[in-house]
Amino acid sequence: MTDEHLTKTTWDRLEGIPMWVIFLIAILLMSWPLLRPIGLPVVVEPETKDFFRQLEQLKQGDNVLLSADYEAGALSILEPGLVATWKYLGPKQVKVVVTTFSSQGPPLYERAIKKIIPESFGWKYGENWVFMGYIPGMETAMAAFAKNIRALVTVDYYRTPIDAIPVMKNINRAEDFKLLISFTDGTAEAHTGWIKQVQTPYKLTYIVHVID
């Protein structure tokens, strides 16, 4: 019997295996790691711990400025972080002012808020959070927003006057916030803008989820 004949016979036998047997073997192989995990450690980076530590320090009633400064291309990376962060803030009963300096921000905010469902932890729009909508101008607008919100924005995204929104009662400048959180893909330079125009001049604690 030649090697060529042996090789053909082997392949013929493999091709003759019923499909249900192949699928069963595949399922068993894929299930094995679930039944007997190999126990690789989950490494949490120091930056992640620092991000969480700042959220943990917030108290009930603290004002948080949250900016969704990303575009659709970064949706799969940044949206989960935004959703998880907001859901962690929910039970703490802080007050959240949401902004976006990305023109694609409003529809991405509305997509995220459907996943967050603030009402599930007792929040009401206007009382616990407000969305300012898209604010054009990037760094110039950030500086103006930090100095005097009402001089820059007179209505929220839904055209309700700022002074008619309860959550905005004692909020009008950067000093009124306890924490600034930004989610940005870096394409519009929002990250550096927040540092130069808000964090540095107003000493506001700033944490960011950023990708380049």
Side-chain angles (χ1 to χ4, degrees):
M1 183 178 295
T2 64
D3 291 341
E4 182 179 357
H5 179 72
L6 179 61
T7 302
K8 287 183 178 179
T9 302
T10 301
W11 280 111
D12 288 342
R13 289 175 178 174
L14 290 175
E15 290 177 354
I17 297 175
M19 288 300 297
W20 69 267
V21 174
I22 296 175
F23 286 137
L24 179 60
I25 293 173
I27 291 172
L28 290 174
L29 290 175
M30 289 187 291
S31 300
W32 182 254
L34 299 176
L35 300 174
R36 297 293 297 273
I38 57 179
L40 292 176
V42 177
V43 179
V44 180
E45 297 295 333
E47 293 83 0
T48 302
K49 293 180 180 179
D50 290 340
F51 189 100
F52 177 75
R53 191 175 299 113
Q54 293 299 330
L55 299 180
E56 203 171 29
Q57 292 175 1
L58 292 170
K59 302 289 191 301
Q60 181 175 347
D62 283 343
N63 300 324
V64 176
L65 176 57
L66 190 154
S67 199
D69 302 313
Y70 58 90
E71 299 180 350
L75 182 69
S76 62
I77 300 176
L78 294 176
E79 183 183 74
L82 172 60
V83 172
T85 297
W86 198 319
K87 286 191 174 183
Y88 180 78
L89 294 177
K92 299 180 79 67
Q93 294 300 316
V94 297
K95 298 177 181 179
V96 178
V97 175
V98 186
T99 61
T100 179
F101 293 83
S102 166
S103 59
Q104 296 183 28
L108 299 183
Y109 157 82
E110 293 189 317
R111 172 191 161 100
I113 210 70
K114 291 178 181 177
K115 297 183 178 182
I116 297 166
I117 316 176
E119 295 82 4
S120 65
F121 32 80
W123 283 29
K124 294 182 179 180
Y125 183 83
E127 295 182 10
N128 301 94
W129 92 97
V130 62
F131 179 46
M132 295 295 185
Y134 168 54
I135 304 175
M138 196 48 68
E139 286 196 36
T140 302
M142 289 176 175
F145 187 90
K147 184 178 180 180
N148 188 332
I149 295 175
R150 284 167 176 76
L152 179 69
V153 182
T154 58
V155 296
D156 73 349
Y157 180 63
Y158 306 103
R159 313 307 297 173
T160 302
I162 295 298
D163 288 331
I165 301 173
V167 75
M168 293 297 298
K169 183 178 180 180
N170 297 312
I171 300 176
N172 195 47
R173 54 185 182 174
E175 291 96 335
D176 297 328
F177 293 99
K178 184 74 173 181
L179 180 67
L180 163 60
I181 311 173
S182 175
F183 294 84
T184 176
D185 55 13
T187 56
E189 300 181 357
H191 176 41
T192 55
W194 284 122
I195 293 175
K196 291 190 292 182
Q197 304 301 333
V198 181
Q199 181 192 32
T200 301
Y202 296 96
K203 310 302 179 186
L204 177 60
T205 302
Y206 170 54
I207 57 177
V208 60
H209 183 176
V210 60
I211 59 172
D212 294 323

